[in-house]
Each structure stands twice: as structure tokens, then as C-alpha cells.
Amino acid sequence: MSRDAVTSPSDGGLQAERTGLAWSRTSLGVGANALLLAVREVSHGRLGPASGVAVLALVLAAGVALYGRQRTLRLRRAPLPVPLAADRAVLVLGGAVAVLALLSGLVLVL
């Protein structure tokens, strides 16, 4: 691949678009987790620990969506923000998604 292909002006704005799509996929996945846990609880005719995890997943999905939207808008600005790297929120949200996966697995086993 030539060096010109990497720095092509036609790539302008694609970073923000890819970032937005990644955050949207993550939010959708977390929201689907919430929905599946809620459907499981309703189908069992009881409210157990999975209900609480479903509510947490729904709140986390909203948080991921909001932060992703804000991050995408920040990357669309010209000139790009300095520093370009994401802040601690990415680590916090990533850790929260990992904890959600662990909790979801635990309530499904119990």
C-alpha cells in the first residue's frame, strides 16, 4: 500500500464515523443483553436477580450510547481535539461492560 493511500483526503471524517458505529454496536449489544434478561425473567413468571442486572444493563446501554455520541461529535470537529486519545471514561465503560457480562453469566447459572 502506498503512503498516499493512507493519508488520502478522501478518508476525512471516516474515523469519527467508525467510532460512532463501534459505540452504537456496543450500546446495542448491552441493550440486547438487558432485553434478553428481562424476557427470561418474565417467561419464568418471577422477578429475580436477573431483573436487577437487566436494569443495570439498560442504564449502561444508555450511558454507552450517550458517551459514544459525544465522542463521535468531538472527533468530527475540525481541528481534531488534543489529546485525540479517549479519556478514562472508555476504561470505566469497558470495565462496566465486562462486569455486566460476568453478572449476566452468574444470574443465568443461578
Side-chain angles (χ1 to χ4, degrees):
M1 180 187 311
S2 73
R3 186 177 189 151
D4 294 332
V6 174
T7 60
S8 170
S10 65
D11 286 346
L14 292 180
Q15 179 182 14
E17 184 176 346
R18 286 189 302 265
T19 298
L21 290 171
W23 284 107
S24 295
R25 282 190 306 268
T26 303
S27 178
L28 182 62
V30 173
N33 184 1
L35 180 65
L36 291 173
L37 287 172
V39 166
R40 179 181 182 271
E41 289 298 288
V42 169
S43 69
H44 283 88
R46 62 179 170 81
L47 294 179
S51 301
V53 176
V55 170
L56 288 174
L58 193 58
V59 170
L60 181 58
V64 168
L66 290 173
Y67 181 77
R69 178 78 176 138
Q70 181 242 350
R71 181 77 180 140
T72 302
L73 291 174
R74 189 181 317 157
L75 288 175
R76 284 188 179 156
R77 275 193 243 144
L80 289 173
V82 175
L84 185 58
D87 52 12
R88 283 186 283 241
V90 173
L91 292 174
V92 170
L93 290 172
V97 170
V99 169
L100 175 65
L102 179 65
L103 288 174
S104 296
L106 286 175
V107 297
L108 291 176
V109 171
L110 298 175

